Amino acid sequence: MKLFESAPAFLARQQNLSFDTPEGEGATLDRLAQMGFRQPLAIAAAVRRWRTGQYRALRGEQARDFLHELVPLIIEQFSRGEHPDAGFAAFDKFLAGLRGGGRFLSLLRQNPELFRFIALILGIAPRLADILAQNPHLIDPLIDPSFFGSLPDEAKLETGLARALGEAGSYEAVLDAIRLFGQEHMFLIGARILSGSVSAEQAGEVFARLAGVLIRAVHRIVEQDFTATYGRIRGQETAILALGRLGAKEMTANSDLDLIVIYDFDQKHPNSGGKRPLYGAQYFARLTQRLISALTVQTNYGVLYQVDMRLRPSGRSGPLATQIGGFESYQEREAWTWEHMALTRARVVSGPLEFSARVEAVIHDVLCRKRNAHTIADDVVEMRAAIAAEKGHANPWDLKYAAGGLVDIEFIAQYLQLVHAAAMPEILDTTTARMLEKAARLNVLAAEDAEVLRPAVRLFHDLSQVLRLCLPGAFDPKSASAGVLALLARAADLPDFAALAAHVEETQRQVRECFVRVLGKKAL
């Protein structure tokens, strides 16, 4: 049954809710508790606050009347959410920050489906709810009919960020502006995911596009600030290399950034020329620390991204930044198979064009080196077993690490690239889905395996996008709300969660069989 089939007055009677007189409060509190609210007193107090017009958006009598009509629908909708009290509190905080309530509440009154969508965001996606509660103006794009049109391209994002940064003065204000811009667009992308109007592939690409724009801005601003103190080294160039989800353009709402900073300079003149000169590698290590801090430090608008530098050459013990010659030498002579697997998802996201091309050429040459297929298969299987021992692989809803999950698919794709790129470099692609298509077209992936793996990677990415928006931790179907279960089923285009659960387990079984066929019986 649709939520808004009943009129508000009928819903109010059905709910047995009355906020008009203290006499009816006892029954109202009992009913709120029955509907799933753990703090009915706080709910009743908030509704009374709305009635008295304490919020700026509710000072007009018409706005209060509109909201009065909507109260039964508001309560009904949030009672269906994962955390009814949290969803209601987020809506209350949103109202408190809203500038003009009359137009907005009138729109909700005329279009209950819009309210249903907003309540879905507030009640089921805590990450998005927090952003919206702090930035009520983000409701405007949701109201705009063009919101569900095309996603922003790189040029539009660059222009919008430049406009936002133009109003910032100090270095700290710039970092705040970058975070605010990032949060606003993460919200809008997330809202599109919940609406079902973008695919996981589109969402992953636009999250990565946004991250690239933000990283380039941070890179530029940090270098400007850094050189004001330490000067520049003759011939210096820096590039930021993305790996993992960002490199593959498969990001979700809470993806970390896997980054490597690569640099070069004129080694005959290794000292910087600023007020506080630094020498060679020390200069770039300090600059990289500034970059990481600018991305991760907590400001008034929170953290932009978490950054993982563990994939840098020499691992955690290695330098934060690597000179291009050292990077090339390490990849050619010392890197393990798993590091070359990671390199299949590497791409430069920030840096001068010519220097970026040099870095990309080094990566291409490393990946196209001739390799022994049996040795690589043994290494891949060994690494998969180590991950299973550390992370477990029995939970089908751990979509990344489950046997037959995303890691299995990604390892197949990376293995195929490492063993075939020498003969057919066109197989290389940082994105798993596209690489599988290439492998099938080049006849290095059997048709029956491609028919399993390509829809499987889409399914797992579709589900992962929803889960990362809606849940702060691991997903447990037994404790998840009906709303989350319904969203997951819709993301997979299946009638209900029971059908989805069966489909996920069968897909993982088939993926695991593909893994064994491609990597050999030792993969069992």
Side-chain angles (χ1 to χ4, degrees):
M1 184 180 80
K2 288 188 177 179
L3 171 60
F4 295 105
E5 285 176 351
S6 303
F10 175 76
L11 255 183
R13 290 195 300 273
Q14 188 182 51
Q15 294 168 350
N16 192 28
L17 300 176
S18 173
F19 300 95
D20 296 322
T21 61
E23 292 77 21
E25 188 170 273
T28 293
L29 296 179
D30 289 343
R31 180 61 183 138
L32 287 171
Q34 291 170 8
M35 294 175 76
F37 293 97
R38 295 184 178 182
Q39 297 178 306
L41 279 170
I43 305 299
V47 173
R48 285 197 296 273
R49 251 193 332 270
W50 299 347
R51 294 283 183 84
T52 58
Q54 289 185 30
Y55 298 158
R56 176 171 51 184
L58 300 175
R59 286 174 188 163
E61 185 176 349
Q62 188 178 52
R64 293 196 299 275
D65 287 345
F66 288 157
L67 185 58
H68 176 72
E69 286 188 45
L70 287 167
V71 164
L73 300 180
I74 292 168
I75 290 173
E76 175 77 7
Q77 182 62 43
F78 286 117
S79 73
R80 297 171 178 238
E82 179 100 19
H83 303 290
D85 297 272
F88 185 94
F91 183 73
D92 182 51
K93 186 177 179 182
F94 165 76
L95 279 180
L98 198 62
R99 291 180 179 274
R103 173 176 167 270
F104 169 68
L105 293 168
S106 175
L107 281 169
L108 293 189
R109 183 168 163 267
Q110 295 167 24
N111 185 3
E113 288 301 318
L114 175 61
F115 171 72
R116 185 183 183 190
F117 182 45
I118 293 168
L120 174 70
I121 292 171
L122 293 172
I124 212 168
R127 179 182 299 273
L128 300 186
D130 191 50
I131 295 173
L132 183 59
Q134 294 178 36
N135 306 282
H137 66 277
L138 290 176
I139 208 69
D140 292 336
L142 301 186
I143 295 171
D144 188 338
S146 68
F147 171 70
F148 295 102
S150 60
L151 291 161
D153 59 21
E154 195 168 287
K156 187 173 182 180
L157 290 171
E158 295 274 12
T159 301
L161 181 57
R163 190 182 306 117
L165 296 182
E167 301 171 5
S170 67
Y171 180 75
E172 289 73 19
V174 168
L175 294 186
D176 276 344
I178 289 173
R179 278 157 173 73
L180 180 58
F181 183 86
Q183 286 181 3
E184 290 177 350
H185 281 81
M186 287 175 195
F187 171 83
L188 296 176
I189 299 165
R192 292 287 300 271
I193 293 170
L194 291 184
S195 74
S197 62
V198 296
S199 67
E201 183 178 4
Q202 290 172 314
E205 287 186 357
V206 76
F207 273 132
R209 190 182 307 152
L210 173 65
V213 168
L214 297 175
I215 289 168
R216 284 191 291 278
V218 169
H219 189 186
R220 182 176 62 252
I221 290 156
V222 167
E223 276 202 337
Q224 289 172 355
D225 185 70
F226 190 79
T227 56
T229 302
Y230 299 102
R232 295 181 65 84
I233 297 179
R234 187 179 298 183
Q236 78 170 65
E237 295 180 291
T238 55
I240 300 178
L241 187 65
L243 302 99
R245 295 274 173 242
L246 173 56
K249 299 182 182 178
E250 296 168 353
M251 290 185 70
T252 64
N254 67 344
S255 292
D256 293 348
L257 304 183
D258 294 293
L259 302 176
I260 297 174
V261 174
I262 300 176
Y263 66 87
D264 204 6
F265 63 96
D266 183 350
Q267 296 187 56
K268 294 179 181 177
H269 302 87
N271 288 308
S272 66
K275 295 175 287 187
R276 297 168 58 185
L278 294 170
Y279 182 88
Q282 182 190 26
Y283 179 96
F284 294 102
R286 193 83 58 88
L287 173 62
T288 300
Q289 287 174 332
R290 287 280 189 91
L291 280 167
I292 297 169
S293 177
L295 291 166
T296 61
V297 70
Q298 180 92 22
T299 76
N300 295 328
Y301 290 95
V303 171
L304 188 59
Y305 292 105
Q306 296 295 338
V307 174
D308 189 343
M309 302 289 289
R310 288 176 296 178
L311 290 175
R312 65 185 185 266
S314 304
R316 298 182 185 183
S317 61
L320 288 174
T322 306
Q323 190 169 7
I324 188 168
F327 175 75
E328 182 175 15
S329 176
Y330 179 85
Q331 295 296 339
E332 288 284 356
R333 299 173 189 171
E334 300 180 52
W336 294 69
T337 297
W338 70 264
E339 292 175 284
H340 288 165
M341 291 167 66
L343 216 57
T344 64
R345 296 153 71 86
R347 62 187 179 90
V348 175
V349 291
S350 182
L353 287 177
E354 193 172 324
F355 186 59
S356 298
R358 281 181 63 195
V359 175
E360 299 271 12
V362 169
I363 294 169
H364 185 272
D365 290 347
V366 168
L367 294 179
C368 290
R369 191 174 72 194
K370 188 170 179 58
R371 293 174 170 85
N372 182 287
H374 294 295
T375 301
I376 300 301
D378 288 346
D379 289 348
V380 172
V381 170
E382 183 180 345
M383 185 177 175
R384 183 64 184 100
I387 290 174
E390 179 185 353
K391 303 287 188 180
H393 62 104
N395 177 8
W397 290 107
D398 188 347
L399 297 173
K400 181 175 181 178
Y401 294 114
L406 275 170
V407 167
D408 279 14
I409 302 174
E410 290 166 2
F411 277 19
I412 291 171
Q414 291 160 18
Y415 163 78
L416 291 173
Q417 290 181 84
L418 291 183
V419 300
H420 293 293
M424 44 187 76
E426 62 270 32
I427 197 173
L428 295 175
D429 201 299
T430 60
T431 300
T432 306
R434 287 201 300 265
M435 184 271 140
L436 292 171
E437 290 175 4
K438 290 182 178 182
R441 196 162 56 244
L442 293 168
N443 295 317
V444 298
L445 180 65
E448 62 267 28
D449 291 329
E451 288 172 8
V452 170
L453 297 174
R454 286 184 293 183
V457 78
R458 284 195 298 271
L459 171 68
F460 297 151
H461 283 162
D462 285 337
L463 300 178
S464 295
Q465 290 287 0
V466 172
L467 290 172
R468 294 298 174 268
L469 282 174
C470 295
L471 299 176
F475 171 61
D476 180 359
K478 294 177 183 176
S479 59
S481 72
V484 170
L485 300 182
L487 270 179
L488 290 169
R490 189 194 69 185
D493 197 23
L494 289 169
D496 53 42
F497 184 77
L500 173 62
H503 182 53
V504 165
E505 294 205 29
E506 175 60 18
T507 299
Q508 289 172 343
R509 185 190 65 77
Q510 293 178 2
V511 168
R512 192 63 188 170
E513 289 178 353
C514 294
F515 186 82
V516 173
R517 278 196 296 271
V518 174
L519 276 302
K521 292 193 179 296
K522 289 188 290 294
L524 284 169

